[in-house]
Amino acid sequence: MRRDVFQAIADPTRREILGLLAQNPQNINAVADRFPTSRVAISKHLKILMECGLVVVQQQGRERICEAQPEKLQEVADWVEQYRQFWNEKLDSLEQYLAKIQNKDADNS
Amino acid sequence: MRRDVFQAIADPTRREILGLLAQNPQNINAVADRFPTSRVAISKHLKILMECGLVVVQQQGRERICEAQPEKLQEVADWVEQYRQFWNEKLDSLEQYLAKIQNKDADNS
DNA sequence: TACATTTGCAACCGATTGGTTACACAAACT
DNA sequence: AGTTTGTGTAACCAATCGGTTGCAAATGTA
């Protein structure tokens, strides 16, 4: 089952989990304790995050320490970035428009 | 029904639609013609993109011209950006590590 | 007026999603 | 040795998703 970063971060719980793990790595139960849902549900979310490389796990005895690996978010950043120019241009022309009508207003006053 | 930008861009077809509309605005049938799926399916995707503000529509007679409004991607950019420092730090320490073992290697040669 | 085009909406469908409970099992304490 | 702790897996469930077909309605055009 091929996992996709965009799909992984679509769920707000998974985004929150990534936030927690970025602050400090911790085992699965510790993560699950922070949410109202069951351990199994969180475990499934973690599995998805692992499958797309946003989280890595390190076995330590019976515990599995999960760590955030947000480099994979680069793919998302790149995709968004291609629209940056697009919306900056629109904002620029809006600014020019606003500047123009402000000047006009000043002329009329 | 509250739509969320993260959920909207999770689907590859919707990301592609946004790409098409960023190149040039066009009506719903024109978009649908670019995909192997039915018009209704594309129409549903467009509805989701509209509901979260990534696409705006302008009625023109019987046609509805769809236009990309990628400003809403700022929310995604902001979320990703908060992890930038995190992964830059990791890359930095990797670089330092690589530099270190390279020096060691040079010493040994 | 008759016809073609563009679109929305309702009903349906199979697959996926996010969740649950129940059970199993190895690692670590007492 | 017995018990607690951390985790995986299987079976199930309701809701959502991405897709379909069929029909209706409004706007253009011949």
Side-chain angles (χ1 to χ4, degrees):
Chain A
M1 189 188 323
R2 190 67 215 98
R3 291 292 180 178
D4 158 29
V5 183
F6 287 91
Q7 186 255 332
I9 64 170
D11 185 273
T13 302
R14 283 196 289 269
R15 290 200 298 277
E16 219 177 315
I17 291 177
L18 202 64
L20 281 178
L21 295 180
Q23 283 169 36
N24 53 312
Q26 51 201 283
N27 71 28
I28 297 179
N29 276 348
V31 176
D33 285 347
R34 306 291 225 87
F35 294 89
T37 52
S38 73
R39 172 187 60 89
V40 181
I42 299 300
S43 196
K44 284 184 181 178
H45 282 309
L46 278 168
K47 194 173 187 180
I48 291 171
L49 290 169
M50 294 167 203
E51 280 172 355
C52 73
L54 282 172
V55 164
V56 287
V57 182
Q58 171 195 0
Q59 191 87 27
Q60 222 165 75
R62 68 185 163 190
E63 297 183 43
R64 307 187 69 196
I65 310 298
C66 306
E67 190 177 348
Q69 192 123 37
E71 290 87 339
K72 285 289 160 58
L73 291 177
Q74 186 67 52
E75 187 185 340
V76 178
D78 289 345
W79 183 79
V80 170
E81 196 56 32
Q82 74 183 127
Y83 293 99
R84 173 88 52 189
Q85 190 197 358
F86 190 92
W87 86 68
N88 279 348
E89 276 172 15
K90 289 184 77 172
L91 284 183
D92 283 352
S93 50
L94 175 64
E95 273 171 22
Q96 284 166 24
Y97 170 75
L98 289 176
K100 195 161 63 184
I101 61 167
Q102 195 163 27
N103 286 343
K104 208 179 206 172
D105 208 44
D107 292 346
N108 287 350
S109 66
Chain B
M1 192 187 320
R2 188 70 214 95
R3 290 292 179 178
D4 158 28
V5 183
F6 288 91
Q7 187 257 329
I9 65 170
D11 186 273
T13 303
R14 282 195 290 269
R15 290 201 298 277
E16 217 178 316
I17 291 176
L18 202 62
L20 280 178
L21 295 180
Q23 282 168 36
N24 53 311
Q26 51 203 284
N27 72 28
I28 296 180
N29 276 349
V31 177
D33 285 346
R34 304 292 224 87
F35 294 89
T37 52
S38 72
R39 172 187 60 87
V40 182
I42 299 299
S43 197
K44 284 183 183 180
H45 282 310
L46 277 168
K47 195 173 187 181
I48 290 171
L49 289 169
M50 293 168 202
E51 280 172 355
C52 72
L54 283 172
V55 164
V56 287
V57 183
Q58 170 196 2
Q59 191 86 28
Q60 220 165 77
R62 69 185 161 189
E63 296 182 44
R64 307 187 69 196
I65 311 297
C66 305
E67 189 178 347
Q69 192 123 39
E71 291 88 337
K72 284 289 160 59
L73 290 177
Q74 185 66 53
E75 188 184 340
V76 179
D78 288 346
W79 183 79
V80 171
E81 196 55 35
Q82 75 183 127
Y83 293 99
R84 173 85 54 188
Q85 192 198 355
F86 191 91
W87 89 66
N88 280 347
E89 276 173 16
K90 290 184 78 172
L91 284 184
D92 283 352
S93 51
L94 175 65
E95 274 171 22
Q96 283 166 25
Y97 170 75
L98 289 176
K100 196 161 59 183
I101 62 168
Q102 196 161 29
N103 285 342
K104 211 180 206 170
D105 207 44
D107 292 346
N108 287 349
S109 65

